[in-house]
Amino acid sequence: MLGLVLEGGAMRGMFTAGVTDVMMENDIRFDGMVGVSAGAVFGCNYKSHQPGRVIRYNTAYCKDKRYCSLSSLIKTGDLYGEQFCYHDIPERLDIFDVDAFRADPMEFYAVCTDVESGKAVYQKLTDGTGKDLDYMRASASMPLVSRIVELDGHKLLDGGIADSIPLKFFESIGYDKNVVILTRPKDYVKTKNKFLPLLKLTMRKYPAFISAVADRHDRYNDTIEYISQREQEGAAFVIRPEQPLEIGSSEHDPAELKRVYRLGRDAGEKALTALKDFVSQSGNS
């Protein structure tokens, strides 16, 4: 089966959105997709067949305090406002096509981190509303600037803590060929989280989560090595930025969002011929 694996990275996800828009416009289809953090909340538009939606609503609302602001963090406990981001926008302002999401046969998983165990939770999303949106929100809930999301007996935060790029998970459930979209360039090496001392204080009730944060950089770098190995073996097709994207976790300048989105489109268009070959060899078209 052919899979699509989407790394997170907050507003580095504009790069991913550019790549996936090119792929959607060229009718490249997958049997399944798994997204982490921004990879989940932006990637869901692949299943709902809505190219252009990610860059459209982000540029429209990036300056809105209800969307992402210190004011939202102080008032609600979430840097990215739950009501505005996960209800007002998809339900009224830039409508998420729930019917198309449900009708598309592609499997879609979001990755979260269980703060009590420090382990990844891989949740299959089929409805596109309600609890599905809560799992996407949990996947993108960055520590220190987000409330813990409680779902199905789990206490959840950012999926990137436990599994930043879930290629091994997708291979384990039968996706033997995968397109992997990364948001860091090839020479990137992750280092220890500089906010670890603060997390040890604020998350002291969850020692397994702190441990997961503490060694995340080692697991991330090991995963990048594994992805390179699978790429060389022909089992993975990797699209990544050529240079650091130089965009932060929150971005209020529409021009910057468009710049990173355009880099993603350029990378998608550059890879398109080889990507189509990889997809066709995997039995999809």
Side-chain angles (χ1 to χ4, degrees):
M1 292 195 296
L2 180 66
L4 175 61
V5 180
L6 305 180
E7 183 180 12
M11 286 305 153
R12 294 198 310 276
M14 288 297 109
F15 175 86
T16 303
V19 177
T20 54
D21 278 0
V22 169
M23 286 163 34
M24 280 190 273
E25 290 160 7
N26 284 272
D27 199 31
I28 295 174
R29 307 305 303 164
F30 297 89
D31 299 307
M33 172 175 63
V34 58
V36 181
S37 191
V41 297
F42 296 161
C44 64
N45 294 279
Y46 211 121
K47 188 169 168 63
S48 66
H49 300 242
Q50 291 179 279
R53 182 172 178 269
V54 172
I55 187 62
R56 185 173 63 238
Y57 76 73
N58 274 279
T59 52
Y61 300 112
C62 62
K63 293 184 178 182
D64 194 311
K65 290 183 178 180
R66 297 169 298 172
Y67 184 62
C68 174
S69 66
L70 181 60
S71 173
S72 174
L73 178 61
I74 293 170
K75 289 179 180 178
T76 71
D78 292 311
L79 183 66
Y80 285 87
E82 174 191 357
Q83 177 62 38
F84 192 73
C85 294
Y86 296 96
H87 296 285
D88 293 351
I89 290 176
E91 294 169 7
R92 295 190 298 104
L93 300 174
D94 196 322
I95 294 174
F96 181 63
D97 193 337
V98 173
D99 290 338
F101 181 92
R102 293 172 180 171
D104 189 281
M106 178 177 65
E107 292 188 330
F108 175 40
Y109 292 82
V111 185
C112 307
T113 300
D114 185 312
V115 300
E116 293 181 314
S117 68
K119 303 296 185 182
V121 173
Y122 305 97
Q123 181 68 27
K124 186 176 179 180
L125 308 181
T126 59
D127 185 68
T129 61
K131 192 181 288 186
D132 278 10
L133 293 177
D134 288 334
Y135 271 105
M136 285 188 249
R137 176 166 62 92
S139 181
S141 290
M142 298 178 288
L144 299 178
V145 293
S146 309
R147 291 173 294 166
I148 291 172
V149 180
E150 297 194 26
L151 287 167
D152 297 328
H154 296 287
K155 294 182 178 180
L156 304 171
L157 282 176
D158 182 3
I161 300 298
D163 194 352
S164 296
I165 313 163
L167 176 58
K168 286 185 178 180
F169 161 70
F170 238 30
E171 290 181 337
S172 76
I173 62 171
Y175 290 91
D176 53 339
K177 293 291 185 74
N178 291 279
V179 174
V180 182
I181 303 179
L182 304 178
T183 60
R184 300 285 197 182
K186 194 166 188 176
D187 60 353
Y188 175 75
V189 176
K190 186 175 281 295
T191 56
K192 183 168 285 192
N193 192 316
K194 63 183 179 181
F195 295 110
L196 185 58
L198 183 56
L199 282 164
K200 285 181 177 179
L201 177 65
T202 59
M203 298 293 289
R204 58 188 178 276
K205 290 168 56 179
Y206 306 106
F209 180 80
I210 293 171
S211 294
V213 173
D215 66 8
R216 179 189 181 187
H217 61 295
D218 290 329
R219 287 181 286 108
Y220 182 94
N221 295 332
D222 288 346
T223 297
I224 291 296
E225 287 188 18
Y226 179 74
I227 290 169
S228 295
Q229 174 190 326
R230 297 300 281 157
E231 186 178 18
Q232 292 168 10
E233 294 167 350
F237 186 97
V238 183
I239 301 174
R240 52 169 70 85
E242 294 182 356
Q243 302 293 333
L245 295 174
E246 304 291 354
I247 191 167
S249 297
S250 60
E251 179 56 64
H252 303 292
D253 183 356
E256 275 297 285
L257 297 173
K258 290 176 182 176
R259 176 186 67 82
V260 175
Y261 173 77
R262 170 50 62 182
L263 289 173
R265 286 198 64 92
D266 290 347
E269 289 164 359
K270 183 178 180 180
L272 194 55
T273 299
L275 174 61
K276 287 181 176 179
D277 288 343
F278 179 83
V279 169
S280 64
Q281 291 167 12
S282 303
N284 289 50
S285 60

